[in-house]
Amino acid sequence: MGRRWRDGRGELVVHGGGEGPPVTVPMEIATSYRARTKGLLGRDSVDGAILLSPANSVHTFRMRMPIDVAYLDRHLRVIAMRTMRPGRLGMPRLRARHVVEAEAGVMAGWGVREGVLVEVITVGLRHRPA
């Protein structure tokens, strides 16, 4: 199940497992090596979230803020969640294919937790959970 995303903007839709309506969050999409390497480095905040794809681990070296990290499998199901302070190295998740990063504490409010399916909407394309 290959994804054909490109660097740019989109939306993350969190399907909270039937607990209320889906939550839609603005998102940056980073698929090129250069965009994934930069990620959230050097920023003081982020509007919504950033999707790194492909990715199965992250680090927070040179980051200015703590972040929430959600590891997604190939079906866009959250398989692990972590909050990471600056200067940390995250453990690789073997089944992870994508990583979503956001400011620390916001993902819980969106309903992101292990087992939840998310959806990525880009201009003209909609990637639904399998």
Side-chain angles (χ1 to χ4, degrees), residues 17-40:
E19 298 175 13
V23 175
T24 302
V25 178
M27 180 177 63
E28 294 177 42
I29 300 171
T31 60
S32 68
Y33 176 78
R34 182 181 185 115
R36 284 179 296 154
T37 302
K38 185 170 181 347
L40 296 177

Side-chain angles (χ1 to χ4, degrees), residues 76-110:
L76 302 181
R77 182 177 302 276
V78 178
I79 59 173
M81 291 275 309
R82 296 291 176 265
T83 298
M84 296 176 63
R85 296 189 323 246
R88 303 286 186 227
L89 179 63
M91 295 291 293
R93 305 290 170 185
L94 297 179
R95 294 181 336 177
R97 298 295 180 264
H98 321 282
V99 173
V100 176
E101 298 177 342
E103 287 187 44
V106 300
M107 284 193 188
W110 300 339

Side-chain angles (χ1 to χ4, degrees), residues 51-90:
L51 171 75
L52 308 175
S53 180
N56 68 354
S57 68
V58 297
H59 68 82
T60 58
F61 301 124
R62 296 186 348 214
M63 282 202 183
R64 299 178 181 170
M65 62 184 171
I67 60 171
D68 283 345
V69 180
Y71 298 89
L72 310 177
D73 68 9
R74 65 188 183 116
H75 301 291
L76 302 181
R77 182 177 302 276
V78 178
I79 59 173
M81 291 275 309
R82 296 291 176 265
T83 298
M84 296 176 63
R85 296 189 323 246
R88 303 286 186 227
L89 179 63

